[in-house]
Amino acid sequence: MLMKCSAVCLVALSLLGSLCDAQWPHKPSNQKPKDPIKNPPQQAKQHFEKPLNWEYPVDPTPHPQPMVPFEPVLPVPAASVAVECREKDAVVEVKKDFFGIGQLINPADLTLGGCSAVLDDEANQLLIFATELSDCGSKLALTEDSLIYTFTLVYNPQPVSGSPVVRTSKAVVFAECHYQRKQDVSSLPLQPLWIPFSAVRVAEEFLYFTLKLLTDNLQSERPSNIYSLGDLINFEATVQQYFHVPLRVFVNSCVATVSPDVSSHPRYAFIENNGCLVDARITGSDSRFLDRTRDDKLLFQLEAFRFQNVESGVMYITCHLSATSADAEINQEQRACSYVHGSWIEASGVGGVCESCDSGSVSTGGTGRFTPGRKMRDVSQKSVASYKWEGDVTLGPIHIKERAQ
């Protein structure tokens, strides 16, 4: 029994010792562990067969833009309104391109003091207002020297087709007509103002009719007014239209005299009967109208001559000029006819309008007088093509010398 207990005790102690070895750590040894910092692990250097040449890519730079010439377009005042001040009324012409930007306005959006346009000229893109001086909301102002009538042109654009968009802005333009309160009255005749080798006549509608001498090549104004017998005197008649519709100028009649007085004697009418240059038919000269190249200019030639028994050789040329709309037809009242090789030819090439030149009376004298002024039809009934402006121009003195032998 004792031996069995001894055996059991030994087994128990053996198991207990094994369990203690499993629960408790081993006692530290006297050998110190190695310091990984002081003793780093040894690494072998890696070698490549080819050297590395890779680099970070450079940031792309934008290409320089070429210099482009550019200037901002600044708005400029549009010369779209013209006023004709008459004795009792006024006519205002307005371009439909009111702002000068190529945008045509609606005629219903433009009024003159509440008055609508009396004429819509589709051909020339114009609106024409006509009013008495005291109508259409005009205002009268008095100064020491002038009567001033002021009209108000109002543009109020409305949206088109029900859209809320407009492409032009509201505008107000004031138009004025000035009339002198004081004028000089004299019984002495007015002497013509001489501008060297050219003369100017201002028509009532602020049109300028001019008549001047040209050089032989017809390119510039002639600096001398001295000619020899048989020379061709080149004349240029023009009309300056400014804000008017395009105009066509005509020379209705011309008279040569020895003084500025058109009714003096001797006198020679070499253009008459509404634009018939009769000098070539009367004397067999080379006088004629040149082919028309521009509506606002008309060139003609007169073969130089002297009056019989007049030793001075001085002459003055007085011409009656007229202007119509360039759209008006050339007819027997407005023409430029030359007598060439026994037949009449119109300067613009229009046929059938010169036949009456032979039926008209040919005058080498007489006491007829020119009547300056203008003819105007009712703008509410006729188009702009029916307008007619007229004026007289006197050019001189012109000296005609004997040709040297």
Side-chain angles (χ1 to χ4, degrees), residues 266-284:
R267 64 193 304 274
Y268 174 50
F270 57 92
I271 298 179
E272 56 183 13
N273 196 13
N274 294 329
C276 298
L277 208 165
V278 297
D279 180 63
R281 186 165 72 89
I282 296 173
T283 66

Side-chain angles (χ1 to χ4, degrees), residues 50-269:
K50 295 181 180 180
L52 295 177
N53 54 4
W54 182 87
E55 295 179 355
Y56 282 100
V58 179
D59 293 337
T61 57
H63 295 286
Q65 296 295 327
M67 296 297 295
V68 178
F70 173 76
E71 292 183 4
V73 179
L74 300 177
V76 297
S80 57
V81 179
V83 183
E84 299 175 7
C85 299
R86 304 175 185 172
E87 183 178 354
K88 296 181 180 180
D89 58 359
V91 175
V92 181
E93 297 178 357
V94 183
K95 294 180 180 179
K96 286 188 178 181
D97 186 7
F98 188 57
F99 295 96
I101 58 175
Q103 183 76 27
L104 302 184
I105 65 174
N106 182 5
D109 296 340
L110 186 67
T111 58
L112 182 68
C115 299
S116 301
V118 299
L119 179 64
D120 186 352
D121 186 359
E122 292 287 348
N124 297 290
Q125 298 297 334
L126 287 174
L127 295 176
I128 299 179
F129 299 84
T131 175
E132 298 289 334
L133 293 178
S134 57
D135 291 343
C136 293
S138 68
K139 295 182 180 180
L140 174 61
L142 300 178
T143 64
E144 182 178 355
D145 300 322
S146 302
L147 298 172
I148 303 174
Y149 290 88
T150 303
F151 300 90
T152 304
L153 198 65
V154 179
Y155 174 64
N156 186 18
Q158 301 299 318
V160 181
S161 301
S163 67
V165 183
V166 292
R167 287 190 167 86
T168 52
S169 58
K170 295 181 180 180
V172 176
V173 178
F174 297 100
E176 295 183 350
C177 286
H178 293 243
Y179 298 89
Q180 292 183 358
R181 296 182 62 184
K182 302 176 182 179
Q183 297 185 6
D184 295 330
V185 179
S186 174
S187 60
L188 298 176
L190 295 177
Q191 296 297 322
L193 176 63
W194 169 248
I195 301 175
F197 320 131
S198 64
V200 178
R201 163 76 189 200
V202 183
E204 292 183 27
E205 269 82 17
F206 301 101
L207 295 179
Y208 285 80
F209 290 106
T210 64
L211 185 65
K212 63 183 179 181
L213 303 175
L214 295 184
T215 56
D216 292 340
N217 61 4
L218 308 176
Q219 299 300 314
S220 57
E221 187 172 356
R222 196 174 193 267
S224 173
N225 60 342
I226 300 176
Y227 295 86
S228 298
L229 281 174
D231 290 345
L232 286 177
I233 306 175
N234 298 311
F235 295 89
E236 180 188 73
T238 62
V239 58
Q240 299 180 26
Q241 56 202 39
Y242 295 101
F243 302 125
H244 286 261
V245 297
L247 299 177
R248 182 184 293 122
V249 67
F250 294 94
V251 181
N252 297 93
S253 55
C254 283
V255 174
T257 55
V258 295
S259 73
D261 185 3
V262 70
S263 61
S264 63
H265 289 275
R267 64 193 304 274
Y268 174 50

